[in-house]
């Protein structure tokens, strides 16, 4: 086994693609302290900041997705694709990686496609219960496909699928022990139930609108609220922090402590969020984004809800059903415990190590 293998990791566009990529890189560094790791992302996307902050070099490709309507961006897509494939070839030729890992996003599609054509071993880390078209195409040539959900044989070759789960922050595994620290950190009232509202790093417009509309009613139920509204919406909603028992945050640095403090969670159902919520085992109401490819957030949530591990409200149901659903959960301690126990059983806490096991097997 080489002491200093080389790895290219590609993934980005959203935190859900970037965080798993960084987690994999960190585990590779633990196993191979002399390894060389290079990230490849999309220019102007958040990975160009987040990856260097994590201590890794990154190269950017000129690539973006296809919009649903006719736009100049769509007309530019063939040109961007050719540019990205060409640049990917140059990066791979110069860096000579032992394995290329893709965690999703348009940049990873270009890099893995070229790597497979050059006979460089490739690994796909598919976070969702319903893969996007890029990974479905790449799966035919990949050496291993690490997935977080069962029953993906309809999308990928069965012999390549490895059920590993999604990488999650390791500090989430022991949140139950941090309850007192969390209450002190967020200056919470220990006698009140804490509602945590999550919309992702950028925020979720419809969830923010819901909480703004329902906030007085929620406070009447006796809860205290930590509301992560996202950086895009912080200026619009920060004034709600003036209310007693409400904290509005653009971003949460200590996710371990906020999960430890929470008694109930309202959340989008992106793949990383679902995996984290399984680990921390809190009762959750999923409100999937309907604006993502293949409606995969609804499918992610249903994979948990169908096993009675969470509740699900579609955006179209919020006006009529939110109050009864939330009040029912708040007042039913037995239901909260059942949801908590069930979602915990669906957790796959060793995902990062198992994914890296698959990568290591491919080093020649």
């Amino acid at each position: 086994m080489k002491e200093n293998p080389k790895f290219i990791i590609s993934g980005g566009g959203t935190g859900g693609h970037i965080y798993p990529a960084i987690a994999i890189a960190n585990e590779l560094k633990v196993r191979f302290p002399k390894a060389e790791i290079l990230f490849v992302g999309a220019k102007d996307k958040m990975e160009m900041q987040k990856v260097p902050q994590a201590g890794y070099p990154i190269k950017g490709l000129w690539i973006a997705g296809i919009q649903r309507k006719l736009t100049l961006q769509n007309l530019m897509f063939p040109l961007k694709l050719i540019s990205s494939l060409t640049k990917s070839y140059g990066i791979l030729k110069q860096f000579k990686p032992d394995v290329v890992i893709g965690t999703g996003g348009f940049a990873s599609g270009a890099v893995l496609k070229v790597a497979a054509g050059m006979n460089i071993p490739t690994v796909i880390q598919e976070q969702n219960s319903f893969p996007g078209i890029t990974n479905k195409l790449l799966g035919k040539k990949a050496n291993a496909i690490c997935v977080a959900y069962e029953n993906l044989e309809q999308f990928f070759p069965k012999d390549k699928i490895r059920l590993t789960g999604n990488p999650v922050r390791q500090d989430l595994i022991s949140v139950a022990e941090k309850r007192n620290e969390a209450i002190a950190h967020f200056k919470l009232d220990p006698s009140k139930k804490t509602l945590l509202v999550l919309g992702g790093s950028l925020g979720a417009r419809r969830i923010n609108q819901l909480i703004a509309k329902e906030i007085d009613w929620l406070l009447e139920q006796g809860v205290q609220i930590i509301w992560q509204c996202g950086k895009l919406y912080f200026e619009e909603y920060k004034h709600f922090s003036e209310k007693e028992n409400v904290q509005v945050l653009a971003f949460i640095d200590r996710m371990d402590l906020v999960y430890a403090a929470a008694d109930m969670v309202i959340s989008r159902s992106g793949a990383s969020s679902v995996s984290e919520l399984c680990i921390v085992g809190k009762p959750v109401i999923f409100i999937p984004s309907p604006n993502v490819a293949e409606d995969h957030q609804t499918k992610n949530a249903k994979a948990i809800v169908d096993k009675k591990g969470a509740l699900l409200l579609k955006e179209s149901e919020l006006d009529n059903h939110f109050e009864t659903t939330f009040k029912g959960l708040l007042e039913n301690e037995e239901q909260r415990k059942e949801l908590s126990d069930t979602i915990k059983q669906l957790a796959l806490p060793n995902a990062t190590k198992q994914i890296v096991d698959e990568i290591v097997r491919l080093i020649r």
Side-chain angles (χ1 to χ4, degrees):
M1 182 73 71
K2 291 182 177 179
E3 263 191 56
N4 56 341
K6 294 183 173 186
F7 305 100
I8 282 181
I9 304 176
S10 184
T14 66
H17 294 315
I18 297 165
Y19 177 75
I22 291 171
I24 290 166
N26 290 343
E27 178 65 20
L28 285 167
K29 269 292 187 187
V30 169
R31 299 210 197 174
F32 304 100
K34 295 180 181 177
E36 289 183 55
I37 298 173
L38 175 66
F39 278 72
V40 179
K43 281 181 180 174
D44 305 322
K45 294 292 185 181
M46 61 193 292
E47 58 264 31
M48 301 308 290
Q49 284 78 47
K50 296 289 184 188
V51 169
Q53 284 169 9
Y56 297 101
I58 185 167
K59 291 184 181 290
L61 304 180
W62 188 45
I63 187 72
I66 298 177
Q67 309 297 312
R68 293 185 182 185
K69 53 192 175 189
L70 186 63
T71 63
L72 182 61
Q73 288 274 43
N74 279 355
L75 295 174
M76 297 285 281
F77 180 76
L79 192 59
K80 289 184 174 183
L81 182 61
I82 291 165
S83 164
S84 294
L85 292 169
T86 304
K87 187 163 184 185
S88 294
Y89 179 79
I91 292 168
L92 290 160
K93 192 86 174 158
Q94 182 180 12
F95 191 75
K96 297 183 173 61
D98 292 284
V99 186
V100 176
I101 304 107
T103 62
F106 298 105
S108 75
V111 179
L112 265 73
K113 168 80 175 156
V114 176
M118 295 170 71
N119 291 318
I120 299 168
T122 61
V123 174
I124 292 172
Q125 197 265 314
E126 173 54 65
Q127 293 122 32
N128 291 297
S129 59
F130 196 95
I133 189 165
T134 306
N135 275 357
K136 281 190 267 190
L137 292 170
L138 293 169
K140 294 173 181 141
K141 293 281 183 74
N143 295 77
I145 303 157
C146 297
V147 303
Y149 294 90
E150 297 172 343
N151 305 316
L152 266 67
E153 292 83 0
Q154 57 185 310
F155 306 114
F156 297 124
K158 188 176 179 180
D159 61 322
K160 296 181 180 181
I161 295 174
R162 311 286 184 267
L163 181 63
T164 59
N166 285 324
V168 296
R169 301 167 175 87
Q170 291 304 293
D171 58 4
L172 300 185
I173 290 168
S174 57
V175 295
E177 302 161 13
K178 301 178 182 178
R179 176 90 175 172
N180 292 337
E181 183 188 352
I183 286 169
H185 181 85
F186 289 102
K187 299 180 174 63
L188 296 167
D189 179 346
S191 69
K192 288 181 178 288
K193 292 274 188 289
T194 301
L195 169 63
L196 171 62
V197 181
L198 299 172
S201 54
L202 299 178
R205 178 186 283 113
R206 188 65 186 89
I207 291 180
N208 288 337
Q209 290 171 342
L210 171 75
I211 301 304
K213 176 184 164 223
E214 300 284 357
I215 198 155
D216 290 329
W217 178 84
L218 285 165
L219 293 172
E220 284 168 14
Q221 309 312 304
V223 300
Q224 54 198 342
I225 302 167
I226 300 176
W227 174 8
Q228 185 257 319
C229 66
K231 64 179 184 180
L232 295 180
Y233 301 97
F234 184 65
E235 290 302 315
E236 185 178 351
Y237 293 104
K238 66 181 181 182
H239 68 277
F240 284 103
S241 283
E242 294 166 14
K243 290 181 178 285
E244 193 176 357
N245 295 315
V246 178
Q247 298 179 49
V248 182
L249 305 169
F251 184 77
I252 299 170
D253 289 317
R254 291 297 303 272
M255 287 303 296
D256 58 330
L257 293 186
V258 85
Y259 281 131
D263 294 289
M264 292 163 293
V265 183
I266 292 171
S267 177
R268 285 297 200 206
S269 47
S272 291
S273 297
V274 173
S275 295
E276 289 185 359
L277 288 161
C278 288
I279 296 284
V280 300
K282 298 296 170 94
V284 59
I285 300 172
F286 285 121
I287 303 175
S289 170
N291 307 314
V292 293
E294 314 280 6
D295 196 22
H296 67 246
Q297 284 208 5
T298 299
K299 296 180 176 78
N300 291 346
K302 275 185 66 60
I304 305 300
V305 172
D306 289 350
K307 293 179 179 175
K308 298 185 168 47
L311 302 178
L312 168 64
L313 282 174
K314 294 182 179 177
E315 286 193 354
S316 59
E317 299 171 331
L318 293 176
D319 290 335
N320 293 327
H321 298 293
F322 173 74
E323 288 187 6
T324 51
T325 301
F326 182 81
K327 194 173 177 69
L329 183 62
L330 179 65
E331 294 178 351
N332 190 335
E333 186 177 346
E334 189 177 333
Q335 183 189 25
R336 293 199 306 275
K337 186 176 187 312
E338 284 176 6
L339 291 174
S340 185
D341 290 346
T342 304
I343 198 170
K344 260 188 187 169
Q345 290 168 18
L346 303 175
L348 296 165
N350 298 314
T352 312
K353 288 182 170 61
Q354 290 180 13
I355 292 163
V356 171
D357 286 346
E358 295 299 326
I359 294 166
V360 169
R361 285 192 191 106
L362 296 173
I363 299 172
R364 291 166 179 164

